[in-house]
Amino acid sequence: SNDAKSLIGEISFDQTQLTFVSAAIGSDIASPNLPIFYKPLVGENKVSISAAVLGQGSAFTGSGVIATLKFQTRSATAPRARLTRADIRDNENNSIVEQIQIVEQPEPISEVALPTSYTVGQNSPNPFNPETSISYGLPTATKVSIRIYNVMGQLVRTLVDEYQAAGTHEVIWNGTTDTGSKVASGIYFYRFETADFQKTVKMTMLK
């Protein structure tokens, strides 16, 4: 509702299993022209992240990642971390969240092999009809956009335009425009973009 003046989240963990390493604020948490106070506080078996927009009447807008936390494992057993507190407050310091759903980690945290570089695969199948999938890998969390263009360079469809976690991802294009119309047979291009990497790939739709 654009009333969020400040945010706080608290992560609890077992210090015999995990060591807190660092915390980084999300790059798209607020408008670039709004100054933000941001601070991680580390206590015994917990770390809290606070963020607030400076300036009278200012507030966060939109959605995004508040912070990314990094831990180092200290035990051979799979460690656990859990969100134990979350709150959003307005300019009058009133909580504006009636109920925050805290999602528990269903399985113990385990090490996952992440891509070491940006990767964008050839769509499959290609040629295709009526739909095709595009796979890509992100070595770090980042803002991603994937857009479809025709041979005239005109935008046909925006498939992805959001902040995504590191890892392997897949998106499906069903051969339609942003308005839902079916495209004609022919050659199209998908443009993959992040702040650090760009790639354009050709594909063919047959009917």
Side-chain angles (χ1 to χ4, degrees):
S1 61
N2 296 339
D3 292 331
K5 175 71 173 180
S6 62
L7 315 167
I8 187 169
E10 184 178 273
I11 301 289
S12 296
F13 59 96
D14 187 341
Q15 286 186 320
T16 65
Q17 296 180 327
L18 292 171
T19 297
F20 173 71
V21 175
S22 64
I25 189 171
S27 61
D28 57 350
I29 195 174
S31 173
N33 61 343
L34 293 178
I36 300 171
F37 168 83
Y38 169 76
K39 188 172 185 178
L41 292 174
V42 183
E44 184 178 357
N45 293 330
K46 67 181 180 181
V47 56
S48 63
I49 304 297
S50 299
V53 181
L54 303 178
Q56 183 63 34
S58 299
F60 292 105
T61 59
S63 300
V65 173
I66 296 173
T68 300
L69 280 64
K70 290 185 179 181
F71 294 87
Q72 182 179 19
T73 58
R74 303 180 60 186
S75 171
T77 60
R80 290 181 181 272
R82 54 191 298 261
L83 180 67
T84 49
R85 181 189 175 196
D87 197 9
I88 304 174
R89 293 185 172 266
D90 63 15
N91 274 274
E92 304 300 325
N93 200 32
N94 298 313
S95 177
I96 58 175
V97 180
E98 295 181 0
Q99 182 178 2
I100 292 179
Q101 181 181 3
I102 296 179
V103 180
E104 295 289 347
Q105 182 75 18
E107 299 292 339
I109 298 172
S110 59
E111 293 187 9
V112 178
L114 296 176
T116 57
S117 62
Y118 291 100
T119 60
V120 184
Q122 179 69 55
N123 63 298
S124 179
N126 185 51
F128 69 95
N129 180 25
E131 65 180 31
T132 188
S133 67
I134 300 169
S135 298
Y136 54 98
L138 306 176
T140 61
T142 186
K143 180 73 176 292
V144 178
S145 73
I146 300 177
R147 292 180 168 89
I148 309 294
Y149 296 89
N150 60 23
V151 292
M152 302 294 292
Q154 298 168 319
L155 178 64
V156 174
R157 177 76 181 270
T158 298
L159 295 178
V160 179
D161 187 20
E162 63 184 13
Y163 194 94
Q164 293 188 332
T168 301
H169 301 264
E170 182 183 47
V171 64
I172 304 295
W173 184 40
N174 61 359
T176 63
T177 66
D178 280 328
T179 59
S181 301
K182 290 286 187 179
V183 300
S185 298
I187 295 174
Y188 294 87
F189 300 88
Y190 55 94
R191 176 72 174 171
F192 174 92
E193 291 189 45
T194 71
D196 303 314
F197 182 85
Q198 299 82 41
K199 184 176 182 179
T200 301
V201 183
K202 183 173 70 173
M203 59 182 169
T204 303
M205 181 174 187
L206 295 178
K207 290 186 178 179

